[in-house]
Amino acid sequence: MNKHRYALATSTIVAASLLLSGCQLLTGYQKIDEAENAAAVVGKIQPIAGEVNIACLGTYHCEIMQIDKTLIIAPDKHEPIHAQMVATLPRDKSVKYPSKAQLSMDMTPLTNKNAIKIVPLSASGMAGLTNYYARVLPAKREVHVNFYPENNMGYVERFAMIHDFVEAGTYQLRAYQKKSSQNSGSLLETASPAPLCIELLQDNSVQRRFCKQMDAERQGEFVETGMIKAVSPAPKAKKTTA
């Protein structure tokens, strides 16, 4: 069985191109720089024994669009496609609720490996939108996420990953700006923001990392990098004498 894991991504920029000057950075990447504390950006996830929670964070807004073949968030309305998928109890129409009443959460454990529930997590950095996290059972999953680095729905970074969620627990896909250690002599490269990277964290421990490649051949692709542990060389065999 081929256990190779890969990530595919494309980025779409609908907004008109902006002329950058000096060391100006896009506002979205400034937002990423502020998102160092995951707990401050992501609300409280309610773990359930035996389940996998998948959340995204690090930009103005992000959406878990699809898991395996199941669509979750409508890309045009930015809302759940199926209300039944949202883990909340429906309001009783016969009862008059206060305008700011909180809905009770239906956190019944999942029993079907194909079942997916999404849970409201926090208010988005974009007005009127909500961040959700997904609940699934442990299995090999294909996860699609849309990240919005700017406060602009016209600019979206699309990320897809196949991962074997063997262990139950909380997983986070965190976007951040990769800091460059070298100064480029190109004014265009200096003015452009550093590449976007995505880290997969399992219970706050980084498991995988993907960074967007800026070279001509793979520009626009997220490539997995930087998580291979160094292997110590084998000791040399001692010479024996007759």
Side-chain angles (χ1 to χ4, degrees):
M1 178 182 294
N2 183 6
K3 295 185 178 179
H4 177 66
R5 298 170 178 170
Y6 62 90
L8 303 174
T10 59
S11 62
T12 304
I13 303 179
V14 180
S17 298
L18 300 176
L19 292 177
L20 301 177
S21 61
C23 296
Q24 178 184 2
L25 295 179
L26 295 178
T27 55
Y29 289 95
Q30 293 172 349
K31 180 72 175 181
I32 290 174
D33 287 340
E34 296 171 2
E36 295 299 330
N37 187 346
V41 179
V42 176
K44 185 177 180 180
I45 293 176
Q46 302 180 39
I48 296 178
E51 290 189 6
V52 168
N53 302 303
I54 306 174
C56 61
L57 67 153
T59 52
Y60 273 92
H61 184 65
C62 59
E63 299 167 336
I64 300 175
M65 304 297 296
Q66 177 178 331
I67 295 180
D68 298 332
K69 301 297 182 182
T70 303
L71 296 177
I72 297 175
I73 301 293
D76 52 346
K77 297 182 179 180
H78 305 283
E79 296 177 353
I81 292 179
H82 301 293
Q84 301 90 328
M85 192 178 293
V86 183
T88 57
L89 292 177
R91 289 175 181 263
D92 185 343
K93 294 182 179 180
S94 64
V95 178
K96 184 176 180 181
Y97 292 88
S99 58
K100 296 184 179 180
Q102 297 293 323
L103 294 178
S104 299
M105 303 301 294
D106 178 10
M107 303 303 283
T108 304
L110 301 175
T111 57
N112 186 335
K113 280 206 169 185
N114 295 323
I116 300 173
K117 286 288 185 181
I118 57 174
V119 184
L121 185 58
S122 62
S124 168
M126 290 185 175
L129 299 183
T130 301
N131 287 329
Y132 296 86
Y133 72 90
R135 293 170 45 205
V136 294
L137 291 178
K140 192 172 187 178
R141 305 282 183 180
E142 180 176 344
V143 182
H144 295 251
V145 182
N146 280 3
F147 288 93
Y148 294 86
E150 296 185 30
N151 192 6
N152 172 16
M153 278 298 175
Y155 175 24
V156 54
E157 296 281 0
R158 295 185 173 93
F159 175 80
M161 173 194 71
I162 291 178
H163 185 76
D164 196 354
F165 295 92
V166 177
E167 299 178 2
T170 298
Y171 296 78
Q172 297 175 343
L173 285 165
R174 176 185 179 271
Y176 69 97
Q177 179 188 5
K178 182 180 180 181
K179 301 294 185 181
S180 176
S181 58
Q182 298 180 348
N183 294 324
S184 172
S186 168
L187 177 61
L188 179 60
E189 291 181 3
T190 303
S192 300
L196 183 69
C197 293
I198 311 292
E199 285 182 339
L200 174 67
L201 294 87
Q202 178 183 0
D203 297 327
N204 296 319
S205 176
V206 177
Q207 300 298 313
R208 303 174 69 182
R209 180 179 296 115
F210 307 87
C211 287
K212 195 169 185 179
Q213 302 301 301
M214 305 307 292
D215 58 86
E217 293 183 359
R218 295 180 296 180
Q219 188 171 2
E221 295 182 5
F222 284 97
V223 176
E224 185 163 9
T225 179
M227 297 304 298
I228 300 177
K229 295 181 179 180
V231 179
S232 301
K236 294 182 180 179
K238 294 182 180 179
K239 294 182 179 180
T240 58
T241 57

